[in-house]
Structures are given as structure tokens and as C-alpha cells.
Amino acid sequence: MRRPAEDWQLAYEGFDPAAEGVRETLCAVGNGYLVTRGAAPESTADGVHYPGTYLAGCYDRTATAVGGRQVENEDLVNCPNWLPLTFRPAGGTWFTGPPAAQRLVLDLRRGVLTRHALVEDGEGRRTRLVQRRIASQARPHLVALETELLPENWSGPLEVRSALDGTVTNSGVARYHGLTRHHLHPVEQGAGPDGLLLLEVATADPPRRIALAARTRAHRAGAPVPVVTAVHTEPGRAAQILTVGAEQGVPVTVEKTVAVCTDRDPAAGDPLHAATVLAASAGDFGQLADEHALRWAELWRRCRIEADFDGIGTLRLHLFHLLQTYSEHSVGLDVGIPARGLHGEAYRGHVFWDELFVLQLLDLRFPELARAVLDYRHRRLGAARSAAREAGLRGAMYPWQSGSEGREESQRLHLNPMSGRWLPDHSHLQRHVGSAVAYNVWQYYQATGDRGFLADTGAEMLLEIARFWSSAAEWNPARGRYSIRGVLGPDEYHDAYPWADRPGLDDNAYTNVLASWVLARGLDALDALPGRRRDELLERLDLDRAERDRWQEVGRRLHVPFHDGVLSQFEGYERLAELDWERYRRHYPDLRRLDRILEAEGDTVNRYKASKQADALMLFQLFSAREVRGLLRRLGYPAGEELLRRTVRHYLPRTVHGSTLSAVVHAWVLTRSDRRASWRFFRDALAADREDLQGGTTAEGIHLGAMAGTVDLLQRCYTGLEIREDALWLDPRLPSALGRLELDLHYRGHRGVTVAVDRRTVTVSLREGREEPIRVRLRGSCFTVHPGERRVLSL
């Protein structure tokens, strides 16, 4: 029987070198300002362990010679390691691991990583070790490590070495090892006032100073114990050795509290001075942990979701990592949401379209965080406009990968580890990321009713993205429709036609249908604005009636390809060959990286009807089947109720799910047609990181979009929850394995909306307050819920 406490814990027994990378990622602690991987404090980057601390928005740009050309990359920096702490009986050997026994427990409810271990040295001296670690949600610049050392069979002097290490490199992703890995340059290190240990390093491009101040103290039963200290330094590293008297059976506790500051922090002065003041004035570990737990309790109240199934603990783990990556402490930093969190170096910490999956969750939980992400995009609107101009187009062309500046950060070469070859990378042609930004703008507005946001920033982004699509569309007189050429869809495997000499595909169905939707929403956004602001925007953007008429024209006459009664991923898809699936599945048990397999064989996935993820199905994840049919009919295509079922049947056996997002999308689109299959994909998405289903990728960072997507499957998909026409729409479809679902929402200023669904009823209640009532639609019927009211309706 499952115990409720276990649903709030992630626990690992023993030490497994092969699994250590995954454990370090999933046991990371953070607060939205920074995240620290769950590496052991005594460890170094040795091929088993990989200590890493990442600050939101802390990038550095370097160049590397690859294949006779200079390759430039902007990387999320592995910042100085604040964790290093080890010990030894005086005269013995410093403990560097592994322990004789170990248990790790991540407390999701309180945000504390606890480690129990037994250490035995070469002379048979055994020491029990209990360590607790936090990244404070109350004081985002503070991180802390409490270590209790209990000598089991010895007494004598105990030496503890506490260090700050700025010599770390970006070495966490093996396929990047041929690229520049050194990003930190030493500035200052040594002893500070009141026994503090200080370190300052700098990045080069953009220049940024990062400062750490560490306070390490020892006590026994809460009383300070006499210590003798010595400080050792070298460029980029400072260490402090404390010597205390230890007695058999009597624990000694060492507290290490570290402040981390940069010169880019809001209201920043000198970062080393700021870190020194914060570290010196911080409370003890117990006080910091209590404040931290209080903030986590507040977060969990905002995120309440109750579901009766045996994966609820993993679902909470996903929410936990989302709240560690982006929190209230991220809001003032001008940062986006990295696709792999702040948990590792995969994708170089860049911001992709994965926020599309994250913001749909935040809109109904933390709308202030969703707006901060959209503000990040708006501040880079100028860069998106410049990119469009460089491509000979109008409007705003957002980059597939974004970093500090908002310019395109996608690499132009990538390494296939199976063949050892560096290959052209055309992923920057995924122009649909702009539509994701527009979709996020509109969804936020629908969920919040925030006309101020729409007037200040949202409408401007939406209009410029609509202008881009209008500009990118070319008239095809033979077809009598507009086409969008030379792009990639979400599938990513197909980046060119096998018969063409240029990259890119024409008329990707997902891209074109969403472009049509954006053009319509751009006009809706203008109608929603107050008259004066609408006139200002029209004048500022020089958006005249003729251009708006073109939006109507293009938005209703974009080409959408079909074949055999299903949506084609792109024009010409039906000309591709069928893969010999039986042979490949027989030779390769895991086909998730089919593109690499075929390239290593001298072939290309571009020749086949084989997909990483079936991007045509993404339309049915963003919109209900009814809305998709409406979008297609607006474009002049007849679309019956069987379209979704036929399209799923075509792509499902031809999809290898090489993206963690694929299981999320398939779980969503199968909800109405095959709930058992939907639930299987949901379970696959839940397991993706916890079980490292992609074989090694979790150690490089979490998959944040998929994590948020699993929560959103419960929040919106299985409840059938939509937000449109100033109402909450509900159409529940609970899988048989899910008997009941209850969650709290933040909708249009209401923090107290509760929705509960079971097999027979839907209950909607609104906490008593001064807010206006809300409108709810359930399978066609409409009703109003007033503050303090609870409505129960039969299904």
C-alpha cells in the first residue's frame, strides 16, 4: 500500500555510479535564482559525479574552431561550486567517496535534500554522516549545507575542509567536449571578515562578476565548539580547514552558509561586498530551513492538485522542479525558461518553444510568472524584428533558441556521436516558435483578462508575429493559395526534401494552421484594445487597413496539405518511402534517435515517413478537435469528426518518440479516442526523467516542458478544461486508472477556484470574497458560480 509521505519524497538507497548523473539532476535544489545539482559535497567532476550550480540568465559566449571554421556558442555557465566540504580524522585521508552506505531523500514538501551515509577510512574508523541541503526560497541568494558527523568508533581531532571552487568548467555534456569549456576567470579569493571565505570570478562575454561568500561554523548540541582554522588559496579557489575535537558517539555539526551575488542582480552594487554582508548576517541553518519550508508551503498551496493514482509523487517531483527553475525570484532577472531547467548543460541552457507547455500550466497557477516569461520575450522583440529584416521579411521572427540577447543561438553544426561526424544543423528554420509566443500571449490574456498586459506589450508582440507570417506567405497561382516555404515543423527529423538541394520544407501543416490562427488573433487583439491604445499601436507599427486586409486574405487561404484523408506533416510528405520498421526494430531496440542511426548507416531520415514526434498532431494538443475543424474550415478545407482519429492512426506507428514531449502530445490527442492508450503515454511521460527513458539525457538536465506537460494533462486535458469566450469550459474524460481529480486554479483574479471531477460529477466552487462570479460551461450548458458557492453537476 502506498504511504502518503512517500508521495512527497524521492529516495535512493546505496550508491550506483551508473545512475549518479540522473540522481544528481533529480535531487537538485533551487529557487528560481539558482539551482545546484544533487552532487555529493566531497565530489568533483570525475565522469561519475558532476557538481553544477547554474544562475538564471548567466550566459557566456565563446568561439571554437570546428572543422576549419569558427563555431560560436552562448552557454549557460557552470558557476562556482559552493558545495565542497569533506573531513578526515587528523592525519588521515580526506573523504572523497564513495561512502560504505548511503541513503538520499529529497523532501519535496520542504525542499530539503538529506543524505545519510556511513564513511569508513583505511584504518577502520567509521563516521556516520547526515547532511541537509537547501537553496533558500525565502532568501534566494543564500544556499546552505548542514553536516552532522558522528564518530562511531574513534575519538580525536577532526579536520573539516570547506571550499569555494571557481575552477569548474562546462563539461557536463559529452558531445560538447570538443567546444570551449572554460568560462570563469579568477578575480579574487581568500579570507574575509569574521572568518568568511571569499571568491570572485568573471565571465567574458557578456562580462559578469560572480561573487560567493561562505560562513562555515561548528557546534555541538547547539553550542559553538572551539576551532582552529587555516586558509589555503589558489587562483579561482579558496579553502578553509577547521579542526575540532571529536568524541566517540558525540555528533559534531558543521554549518556552511553561502551567499551568491552577481553584478547583474537587481539593485546590485559590488557583488563581493553584497555576498559578504548576506553571509555574515544570515541566521543559522535551522532558521534558514524554517523560512524556506514556509515559502514552500505557500507554493504548494498555490499548486494543489489531488489525484488518486500511484504516480502522484512523480507528478509532484515535476512541479517541484518547475518551481525551482522559475519562481518569484526569477521575475526581476529578465530570464526565460530554459528547456532543460537550470539543472545541467544540455541545449546550453537555451530557451526554446518548451515554454508553450510550461505557460499553459503557469497561466492558471502563477499568472505573474507567466507574464514575466512574456516580458522576457517582449524585451527581445527588437532582436526578433532585426532577424525578420535580415531574412527580407517584415514583423518579428523569434529565434528557435534564445539566450541572453534574443538573437538566434541555434548551432549550425551538431555532432552525431554514433558516426563521429559534424553535420549541418538546420533547426533554426523552426519558425513556429513565433506562433508559440503568440499563443502564449493570447492564452495568458484569456486566463487573466489582463487588458493592461495586452495594451502594454502583448498586442504588440502578437501583431508583429502576425505581420511576419503575412510577409512570409507567398502566393502560388497554380494552387490558388498562399504557401510558407523553407521551414521545419516540430518533428525535427525532416529538415529537407531528399530530392532538393536546399534545407527546409514547404507548407508544414502545423506551421500554416497556427499562422492562420495568429493572423486572426492579431485582428482580435486590436478589437480588444481601448480605442486610444489601438490607434497608438496602428500608428507606431504603421499598420494600415490594406495590410490588415491582407491578413484576412492570407489567414483564409494558406495551403494545408492532406493525403489519404489525413493531415500531411508538410507538402510532399506522401512521396516519402516507408521505413522497414520490422528490420530496424529488430536491430535497434531503441529507435528514439533514428536520425542518428540512419546517418551513421550513410542514409537519412529525410527519405522516410518516420517522425521524431508527429507535429501535425500538435494542433490537437493546442486546440480541441472542434476548434481544429473550425480552423481548417475557415481555411476552406472540409474537416469531419474522423479527421483526428485517422490522423492519429497514420502517425502513431511511424513515430519513434525521440522527444520527451511526444508522449505528452500523444497522451493528449488520444484522450477522446483511446483513453487506455492515453494513460499509457501519460505514464511514459511521467517516467521520462525519473527512469531516464532516453538513456543518458536526464543526467544533462531535466526536460521541463515534458514535466509541465504531465501536470497539464491532469489540469486541463483530463478535465477537458479550456479558457475562451470569457468562461471556463469543462468536458471531463477521466482514464479508468484515475478515479478522482481535484485542483485549485487562479482564474481572472480569482485565487480560490476549485474544480473536482469524478466518474459521475463535476464540482466547481469559488472561495468567498469580493470578486465577480465566474461563468462555466459544461458540455454545452452554461452556469454561473458566485463567490462562496459550490455547484455540483452530474455528467
Side-chain angles (χ1 to χ4, degrees), residues 129-240:
L129 173 75
V130 181
Q131 290 179 314
R132 295 194 296 157
R133 179 188 312 182
I134 63 171
S136 176
Q137 281 281 12
R139 302 173 185 268
H141 295 277
L142 293 181
V143 286
L145 174 70
E146 179 194 67
T147 303
E148 182 184 275
L149 299 164
L150 174 65
E152 278 199 340
N153 62 350
W154 64 276
S155 299
L158 169 68
E159 294 181 333
V160 176
R161 185 175 66 198
S162 174
L164 299 172
D165 186 5
T167 67
V168 297
T169 63
N170 274 49
S171 306
V173 179
R175 61 190 174 277
Y176 300 165
H177 283 185
L179 305 173
T180 300
R181 292 184 273 174
H182 293 270
H183 295 282
L184 302 178
H185 309 283
V187 176
E188 185 177 341
Q189 57 278 317
D194 302 319
L196 295 180
L197 199 63
L198 306 180
L199 174 69
E200 185 174 348
V201 297
T203 60
D205 184 14
R208 182 189 301 241
R209 293 161 59 203
I210 306 166
L212 286 77
R215 184 189 70 197
T216 306
R217 302 190 299 199
H219 63 83
R220 187 179 289 114
V225 297
V227 298
V228 177
T229 61
V231 175
H232 303 275
T233 64
E234 58 185 81
R237 182 180 170 88
Q240 186 179 49

Side-chain angles (χ1 to χ4, degrees), residues 161-332:
R161 185 175 66 198
S162 174
L164 299 172
D165 186 5
T167 67
V168 297
T169 63
N170 274 49
S171 306
V173 179
R175 61 190 174 277
Y176 300 165
H177 283 185
L179 305 173
T180 300
R181 292 184 273 174
H182 293 270
H183 295 282
L184 302 178
H185 309 283
V187 176
E188 185 177 341
Q189 57 278 317
D194 302 319
L196 295 180
L197 199 63
L198 306 180
L199 174 69
E200 185 174 348
V201 297
T203 60
D205 184 14
R208 182 189 301 241
R209 293 161 59 203
I210 306 166
L212 286 77
R215 184 189 70 197
T216 306
R217 302 190 299 199
H219 63 83
R220 187 179 289 114
V225 297
V227 298
V228 177
T229 61
V231 175
H232 303 275
T233 64
E234 58 185 81
R237 182 180 170 88
Q240 186 179 49
I241 298 177
L242 288 69
T243 304
V244 302
E247 301 176 23
Q248 181 178 342
V250 180
V252 174
T253 301
V254 178
E255 293 185 2
K256 181 177 184 180
T257 304
V258 182
V260 183
C261 298
T262 81
D263 58 353
R264 299 292 181 89
D265 296 335
D270 177 72
L272 191 59
H273 173 73
T276 301
V277 172
L278 282 172
S281 61
D284 62 26
F285 185 90
Q287 292 170 321
L288 293 176
D290 287 345
E291 294 176 344
H292 174 66
L294 184 63
R295 289 298 182 92
W296 269 111
E298 295 172 2
L299 291 173
W300 286 120
R301 281 195 294 271
R302 294 276 298 274
C303 286
R304 190 179 76 88
I305 182 167
E306 304 294 338
D308 186 18
F309 73 104
D310 61 4
I312 190 67
T314 303
L315 196 82
R316 288 178 178 141
L317 177 69
H318 290 180
L319 268 170
F320 177 79
H321 283 301
L322 171 60
L323 297 173
Q324 292 196 129
T325 300
Y326 210 85
S327 76
E328 63 179 304
H329 309 305
S330 313
V331 170

Side-chain angles (χ1 to χ4, degrees), residues 590-604:
D590 187 350
L591 289 179
R592 286 184 177 89
R593 290 317 308 253
L594 180 64
D595 58 334
R596 291 177 177 175
I597 291 170
L598 290 172
E599 193 279 328
E601 292 184 349
D603 204 346
T604 172

